[in-house]
Amino acid sequence: MTGLKAYPRFVSIEGGEGAGKTTVLNALRAALKAGGYDVVSTREPGGTPLAEQIRLLLLRNGGGRDPEGSDELLLPDTELLLMFAARVQHVRHTIVPALERGSWVISDRFTDSSYAYQGGGRALSQALIAELEQRVVRVRPGLTLLLDIGVDQGRLRARNRGAEPDRIESEADGFFERVRATFLQRAAAEPGRIKVIDASRAADVVAADAVAILASWRDANP
Ligand code: Z5A
């Protein structure tokens, strides 16, 4: 991981669909605030006005085609570059300024999602993703919580929410199996940073685990 600056107060939450990232993010935020810390919670793709516009482009569902009516497909390489374009805006305008002020930053997804979805799911080059990470992102979280859940269970939870699936959520199960496998490979390769949490359990149990991991991380990185 040469060339990447790790910020101890930068925490990302990763996982597949329906893993419960939103619930965990709220619990971490509440725990830090109760300890008197300033917290910025944010998400990817998104986190700045421009990056949120890029998110709309990435997630709108036309079966991969332009919903304005043309038959132009959003290509996998375009998806990757748009994810990184949004991330650069997010890092420079939101994340690094907050960290430099001394705040904690909790992000719902960060670069590990690009390795998992574009690298694993779409089978794009992991080396290219690493190059983009090193050259344009240049930062990484000190701590990443990976909420791991079986694809069927996660998709069922997401479906039960009742919202229309977005463009990426409309992918087949095999895509999400590759995403999950890539997240787990990354966790095995970086056990010091990426902590795996069994997200198949009840929401309060998962949140309590996440808060406990954050508390010991915070105590070790005051
Ligand atoms: N993406 C990418 O491809 N490349 C990248 O680099 C980045 C992102 C950064 C948008 O992300 C998409 O962008 C995403 C990856 C891609 N596409 N997909 N798929 P997102 O994070 O906004 O979308 P998401 O992963 O689909 O979010 P989600 O389904 O909302 O997941 P979640 O936030 O982890 O779940 P949740 O909203 O907290 O919970 C889902 C439901 O389950 C909800 O009704 C909860 O009440 C319920 N829930 C939560 N926890 C539990 C437990 N423990 N038990 C029972 N029920 C629960």
Side-chain angles (χ1 to χ4, degrees), residues 45-46 48-60 74 79 81-87 89:
T48 76
L50 188 55
E52 290 289 332
Q53 291 295 313
I54 298 173
R55 177 186 178 94
L56 292 177
L57 275 178
L58 278 161
L59 299 185
R60 64 186 186 176
L74 196 151
E79 179 180 282
L81 294 171
L82 285 175
M83 290 293 178
F84 273 92
R87 183 163 300 127
Q89 293 297 122

Side-chain angles (χ1 to χ4, degrees), residues 15-16 24 27 37 54 58 89 92-94 97 107 113 140 148-151 154 173-174 176 183 190 205 214:
V24 165
Y37 295 95
I54 298 173
L58 278 161
Q89 293 297 122
R92 306 277 189 278
H93 283 282
T94 303
S107 186
S113 278
R140 71 170 173 87
D148 180 54
I149 189 167
V151 170
D173 284 352
F176 292 101
F183 272 135
E190 282 189 73
V205 178
L214 177 67

